[in-house]
Amino acid sequence: MKIQVTDQAGDVHELEGLEGWRAMEVIRDWGLNIKAECGGALSCATCHVYVDKDWMDVVGAPSDEEEDMLDGVGDVRANSRLSCQILMSDALDGLKLTLAPSAAKD
């Protein structure tokens, strides 16, 4: 399955993902500019992404715990999610995400 990720510079990357992997793992393993400090433990917001509006219903709403983490970043939007909380599945083939500035390593 594929996901399309726009990085902080505006470059678009088509990445191959695997069923059951977190979107964060796919983005990180392809070497994009994402901190992902906690490795998916839902204890930071360094994998912050914006979900394309056409994918919001498919991805679903964040949990209360995820919203608490997102409250700590300054660039949160209505379509903000933590990519560690998005599990890849066939339903998400073609998913479009944009890396938030707050997720950058540099």
Side-chain angles (χ1 to χ4, degrees):
M1 71 197 58
K2 305 265 190 215
I3 61 172
Q4 185 179 57
V5 180
T6 303
D7 64 23
Q8 293 91 343
D11 296 325
V12 178
H13 308 266
E14 186 173 270
L15 311 178
E16 185 72 33
L18 296 171
E19 176 89 24
W21 280 43
R22 300 168 188 276
M24 174 274 294
E25 294 169 316
V26 176
I27 296 165
R28 179 198 62 205
D29 289 357
W30 279 94
L32 272 61
N33 189 11
I34 189 168
K35 284 182 209 163
E37 290 176 343
C38 76
L42 192 55
S43 62
C44 72
T46 58
C47 66
H48 179 202
V49 296
Y50 304 120
V51 177
D52 183 271
K53 62 178 176 58
D54 293 337
W55 286 93
M56 288 295 295
D57 288 340
V58 180
V59 171
S63 67
D64 290 341
E65 294 85 3
E66 184 178 349
E67 284 185 353
D68 288 345
M69 288 293 116
L70 286 166
D71 285 343
V73 296
D75 55 355
V76 69
R77 300 179 185 166
N79 61 334
S80 288
R81 290 293 307 269
L82 297 180
S83 58
C84 70
Q85 298 302 298
I86 300 172
L87 293 179
M88 298 305 302
S89 68
D90 287 338
L92 296 180
D93 188 24
L95 175 65
K96 294 180 181 179
L97 302 172
T98 299
L99 296 176
S102 61
K105 287 188 253 184
D106 42 29

